[in-house]
Amino acid sequence: MPKPQKPRNVSARSTQGVTVFEVARLAGVAPITVSRVLNEPGKVKEATLLRVRQVIEETGYVRNQIAGSLASNRTRLVAVIVPVLTNPIFSDTYQAIATWLAKADYQVLLGISGYHAEQEEELIDVVLSRRPDGIILTGTIHTELSRRRLQSTGIPVVETWDMTEEPIDMLIGFSHEEIGRREAQHLLAKGYRDFAIVEVDDPRGHRRSESFIRELALHGIAPRHRQTFHGLPALSQGRAALLTLLPLRQRPLMIVCSSDTLAHGVLTEAACQGINVPGEFAVMGFGDMNFAAFTFPSLSTVRIDGAGIGRRAAAALLERLKGNTTSPPVMMDVGFTLVDRDSTALLANPWTSTE
Amino acid sequence: MPKPQKPRNVSARSTQGVTVFEVARLAGVAPITVSRVLNEPGKVKEATLLRVRQVIEETGYVRNQIAGSLASNRTRLVAVIVPVLTNPIFSDTYQAIATWLAKADYQVLLGISGYHAEQEEELIDVVLSRRPDGIILTGTIHTELSRRRLQSTGIPVVETWDMTEEPIDMLIGFSHEEIGRREAQHLLAKGYRDFAIVEVDDPRGHRRSESFIRELALHGIAPRHRQTFHGLPALSQGRAALLTLLPLRQRPLMIVCSSDTLAHGVLTEAACQGINVPGEFAVMGFGDMNFAAFTFPSLSTVRIDGAGIGRRAAAALLERLKGNTTSPPVMMDVGFTLVDRDSTALLANPWTSTE
DNA sequence: CTGAAAGCGCTAACAT
DNA sequence: ATGTTAGCGCTTTCAG
């Protein structure tokens, strides 16, 4: 039997809500037992468990995780820093992260950095003040200060959607340079020799393009055209891009886009102009988003397993939070897949004739 | 001058981090002054401000908002409950919410309900335990328990993306029934008489369709076809839908889709089959997503100002949190706009001839 | 403009 | 299996 409690919740500061003390009093147990019912029910005798749960039910008690977090120094909160919510390329990843974390009773604190390392730095400050148990970042490019802050806190960090030799902590992604390189090799091997690049100015897409161009250069080829749009990739930009490429139509042209959405726009404008794809233009996207297999013609692209990245990021974090510091450091390259569809199908009139 | 502090942070439970007490000691002030520097810098003398800020800088102090929230009973956290992150129709809204809240130093706690009222109910429980200062919900359909819990806490709630006579608290949205009705009237007025409905089984889209059909019925018309897909709207579904509609081609058909993505799929399959839109089929979407004006042919649709909903939801919440309980209850219908583009352009051969 | 004292509601640590 | 004690790190309240 617990000893009678001192009166509680009488000061003007209180929230007036039901607390563990009230529940404990009504159930005839000590507050810590209520806490155990909530957090470690296995450690409480069945009868006590039921009694406390009934009181919780009757009183409508809602636990205060803020107080719990302060006392236990664990928040069950994971901060997820995203560049934007409006670029669907990342949606699968964030959805997977939130879903898998929720299964383990962790919640997501969301931060939007707008693709800016400086804004991300501010965000990290804000977020750290809430003492998340873990942080998931999009990308591997951060300010030096961000890196130091994150490392000095010792909070588990997962970087995603990129590769680096020196991750802050854990890393689950793929190499954008490798994609550019392999994409170039792949298209060269198929016989394409004339290239145009259509991209937006997002940092990772830009690096894919640069890597693509470097690989072409190794084969003595320079792209005939490069167009960079601002902001998020949009169908409209792809359409505009194809219009500027029309004068290049004398010879078939391989149009390499930094996103499926841009590529879809190119295909749309081609359909509008009655231009045959892949006959007069071939088109390559990036992302293998859910529409890519169903455009007309179907879009060749680079498949990224966004949901897989999210699932693995969540899993790696949860593993660490379980206390498995003995587990090897996580630095996983999930890779990518070049997907050949109709938009790069070789026709009877081989492009290799332009060599 | 503050009196010398009792030793702090010596127990095994401490986080070993720098606390306000340490900062206060080094700056020669009381802890509460450090707190004021952080929260109400206007109330602190310039010299003190600078001195404390310097110590914060030197020590790398990171405030603990958990402790602050417990003491002040304010978390600066807003819970945002979304059905999914992978349906881009909502992206603008959530992006706007997070962005506008961040400007006011509020952060977003994210919850994914998967379109299920029951899952939302659990989520609300979890979320309430973190004592958010506000909650933003997607939709107005919740379990009775959810409604009661939310109302009994007294936390400001904003429901979005729908209308209801009895909002939990604040409401910023539009009527899906009204959309279905107006859409039918609009298309009937343009002369269309033969309709097919293509939709996914999301609850709000379904209600738009039902309302559309009711309005048609008032004019003695029943849709000739209705196809309901499962899951999120996808281009592939739109393509599949048009294939099943091909036998109906004898007379021109108005295909009403519950999402721009479905409609885009219909247009894609039409292009693939060499079918003239709007000649043989006319197509209507929903959402006016950023691609709708740039499909081929451009897509007639219903414009929803998703970003506006998000901005207003954030603003309404912030207004309430500023303590303006005197402000009138928020119940705003942001409306919608029927957008006529090429996919419903009337041709020389008027559809009205089929009457 | 600044400070002392007293909690906020919970749980770690240590009993029993 | 359950209880006692003592905080977690901050901010409210009340004083000066």
Side-chain angles (χ1 to χ4, degrees):
Chain A
M1 277 289 283
K3 87 175 185 192
Q5 295 169 23
K6 277 188 287 192
R8 277 251 171 189
N9 238 355
V10 289
S11 96
R13 298 185 61 179
S14 116
T15 332
Q16 302 295 52
V18 183
T19 69
V20 274
F21 288 85
E22 179 70 359
V23 173
R25 192 179 59 77
L26 293 170
V29 296
I32 187 68
T33 300
V34 179
S35 173
R36 288 198 181 104
V37 168
L38 262 31
N39 300 313
E40 309 163 293
K43 292 190 174 177
V44 177
K45 194 171 54 179
E46 186 74 10
T48 316
L49 204 59
L50 292 174
R51 195 150 33 94
V52 172
R53 283 195 172 142
Q54 175 155 8
V55 174
I56 287 175
E57 181 77 19
E58 288 167 4
T59 54
Y61 168 72
V62 180
R63 77 198 293 182
N64 186 330
Q65 283 242 53
I66 299 293
S69 297
L70 180 61
S72 68
N73 202 27
R74 281 162 59 270
T75 53
R76 300 197 84 84
L77 214 52
V78 172
V80 179
I81 309 287
V82 316
V84 284
L85 283 180
T86 44
N87 190 343
I89 189 84
F90 299 119
S91 300
D92 286 342
T93 300
Y94 304 139
Q95 171 91 24
I97 288 173
T99 305
W100 287 94
L101 289 179
K103 283 188 214 287
D105 286 325
Y106 282 79
Q107 272 74 58
V108 167
L109 180 68
L110 186 71
I112 300 183
S113 73
Y115 284 106
H116 297 299
E118 292 72 24
Q119 209 170 323
E120 188 191 67
E121 183 180 297
E122 275 184 51
L123 212 46
I124 287 173
D125 266 14
V126 169
V127 143
L128 284 178
S129 74
R130 297 196 185 269
R131 301 294 190 270
D133 291 341
I135 299 186
I136 298 179
L137 301 173
T138 309
T140 55
I141 297 180
H142 320 287
T143 66
E144 197 42 50
L145 190 57
S146 294
R147 295 180 61 92
R148 277 208 310 276
R149 291 241 169 94
L150 289 171
Q151 281 176 323
S152 70
T153 61
I155 296 179
V157 174
V158 187
E159 293 168 277
T160 62
W161 273 85
D162 205 345
M163 271 289 134
T164 172
E165 289 300 306
E166 300 188 332
I168 296 173
D169 181 4
M170 295 177 277
L171 174 63
I172 293 174
F174 56 89
S175 163
H176 294 265
E177 276 74 19
E178 181 70 10
I179 287 179
R181 211 167 59 78
R182 288 266 307 282
E183 210 175 345
Q185 290 170 348
H186 177 74
L187 295 174
L188 286 167
K190 290 189 72 162
Y192 296 112
R193 291 297 178 270
D194 271 351
F195 297 93
I197 292 171
V198 177
E199 60 181 355
V200 294
D201 56 358
D202 100 88
R204 283 175 286 275
H206 210 71
R207 278 167 41 215
R208 291 193 297 275
S209 299
E210 293 292 334
S211 176
F212 184 87
I213 291 169
R214 274 197 302 278
E215 185 65 22
L216 287 190
L218 292 181
H219 296 76
I221 294 176
R224 288 169 66 191
H225 195 87
R226 181 175 185 179
Q227 187 163 9
T228 307
F229 291 93
H230 295 293
L232 294 176
L235 210 69
S236 55
Q237 295 165 346
R239 292 193 68 163
L242 187 69
L243 287 177
T244 71
L245 292 174
L246 288 181
L248 301 180
R249 194 152 42 136
Q250 312 92 326
R251 291 190 294 172
L253 188 69
M254 172 80 228
I255 304 175
V256 178
C257 301
S258 78
S259 109
D260 283 352
T261 302
L262 289 174
H264 197 181
V266 169
L267 295 179
T268 303
E269 186 61 36
C272 183
Q273 302 280 336
I275 293 173
N276 181 271
V277 174
E280 302 189 52
F281 293 106
V283 183
M284 183 88 187
F286 171 81
D288 196 22
M289 294 169 63
N290 64 4
F291 60 80
F294 301 95
T295 55
F296 175 67
S298 63
L299 181 62
S300 296
T301 186
V302 182
R303 178 179 301 151
I304 304 299
D305 180 8
I309 291 175
R311 179 172 45 75
R312 288 177 176 131
L317 205 52
L318 291 170
E319 191 63 24
R320 178 75 68 81
L321 292 172
K322 272 198 289 182
N324 290 8
T325 46
T326 56
S327 54
V330 175
M331 184 161 166
M332 180 186 286
D333 187 338
V334 300
F336 56 89
T337 313
L338 294 169
V339 182
D340 263 321
R341 296 204 183 96
D342 295 343
S343 70
T344 55
L346 288 171
L347 300 187
N349 169 15
W351 285 36
T352 44
S353 68
T354 65
E355 279 188 78
Chain B
M1 278 290 284
K3 88 173 183 190
Q5 295 169 24
K6 277 189 287 193
R8 277 249 170 193
N9 236 352
V10 288
S11 98
R13 298 183 60 178
S14 115
T15 332
Q16 304 294 48
V18 182
T19 70
V20 274
F21 288 85
E22 179 68 1
V23 173
R25 192 179 60 75
L26 292 171
V29 296
I32 183 63
T33 301
V34 178
S35 173
R36 289 199 179 104
V37 168
L38 262 31
N39 300 313
E40 309 164 293
K43 292 190 176 176
V44 178
K45 193 171 57 181
E46 185 75 9
T48 316
L49 204 61
L50 293 175
R51 195 149 34 94
V52 172
R53 283 193 171 143
Q54 174 155 11
V55 174
I56 288 175
E57 180 79 18
E58 288 167 3
T59 54
Y61 168 73
V62 180
R63 77 199 292 181
N64 186 331
Q65 282 243 53
I66 299 293
S69 296
L70 180 60
S72 68
N73 202 28
R74 281 160 61 269
T75 53
R76 301 197 85 84
L77 214 51
V78 172
V80 178
I81 310 287
V82 316
V84 284
L85 282 180
T86 44
N87 190 342
I89 190 85
F90 300 119
S91 300
D92 286 342
T93 299
Y94 303 139
Q95 171 91 25
I97 288 173
T99 305
W100 287 93
L101 288 179
K103 283 188 212 289
D105 286 324
Y106 282 80
Q107 271 75 59
V108 167
L109 181 67
L110 186 71
I112 300 183
S113 74
Y115 284 103
H116 297 299
E118 293 73 23
Q119 209 169 324
E120 188 192 66
E121 183 180 297
E122 275 184 53
L123 212 46
I124 287 173
D125 266 14
V126 169
V127 143
L128 284 178
S129 74
R130 297 195 184 270
R131 300 294 190 270
D133 291 341
I135 299 186
I136 299 180
L137 301 173
T138 309
T140 57
I141 297 179
H142 320 287
T143 67
E144 197 42 51
L145 191 56
S146 293
R147 295 180 61 90
R148 278 208 310 276
R149 291 244 169 94
L150 288 171
Q151 281 176 324
S152 70
T153 61
I155 295 179
V157 173
V158 187
E159 292 168 277
T160 62
W161 273 86
D162 205 344
M163 270 290 132
T164 172
E165 289 300 305
E166 299 187 332
I168 297 173
D169 180 6
M170 296 176 277
L171 174 62
I172 292 174
F174 56 91
S175 163
H176 295 264
E177 275 75 17
E178 180 69 9
I179 287 178
R181 211 167 59 78
R182 287 268 306 283
E183 211 176 342
Q185 290 171 349
H186 177 74
L187 295 174
L188 287 167
K190 290 190 74 163
Y192 295 112
R193 290 297 177 271
D194 271 351
F195 298 92
I197 292 172
V198 177
E199 61 182 354
V200 293
D201 56 358
D202 100 88
R204 284 175 285 275
H206 210 72
R207 280 168 41 218
R208 290 193 297 273
S209 299
E210 293 292 335
S211 176
F212 183 87
I213 291 169
R214 276 197 301 277
E215 184 66 22
L216 287 189
L218 293 181
H219 296 77
I221 294 177
R224 290 169 66 192
H225 194 89
R226 181 176 185 179
Q227 187 162 9
T228 306
F229 290 94
H230 295 292
L232 294 176
L235 209 69
S236 55
Q237 295 165 345
R239 293 194 67 164
L242 187 69
L243 286 178
T244 72
L245 293 173
L246 287 181
L248 301 179
R249 194 149 45 134
Q250 314 91 326
R251 290 191 295 172
L253 188 69
M254 171 81 227
I255 305 174
V256 177
C257 301
S258 78
S259 108
D260 283 352
T261 301
L262 289 174
H264 196 181
V266 170
L267 295 180
T268 302
E269 187 61 36
C272 183
Q273 302 279 338
I275 293 172
N276 182 273
V277 174
E280 301 189 53
F281 293 106
V283 183
M284 183 87 186
F286 171 81
D288 195 22
M289 294 168 64
N290 64 4
F291 60 80
F294 300 96
T295 55
F296 176 67
S298 63
L299 181 63
S300 296
T301 186
V302 182
R303 179 178 302 151
I304 304 298
D305 181 8
I309 291 175
R311 179 171 44 75
R312 286 174 177 135
L317 205 52
L318 291 170
E319 191 63 23
R320 178 76 69 79
L321 292 173
K322 272 197 290 184
N324 290 10
T325 45
T326 57
S327 52
V330 175
M331 185 161 166
M332 180 184 289
D333 187 339
V334 300
F336 56 87
T337 314
L338 295 169
V339 181
D340 264 323
R341 296 206 182 96
D342 294 344
S343 69
T344 56
L346 289 171
L347 300 187
N349 168 17
W351 285 37
T352 43
S353 67
T354 65
E355 279 187 81

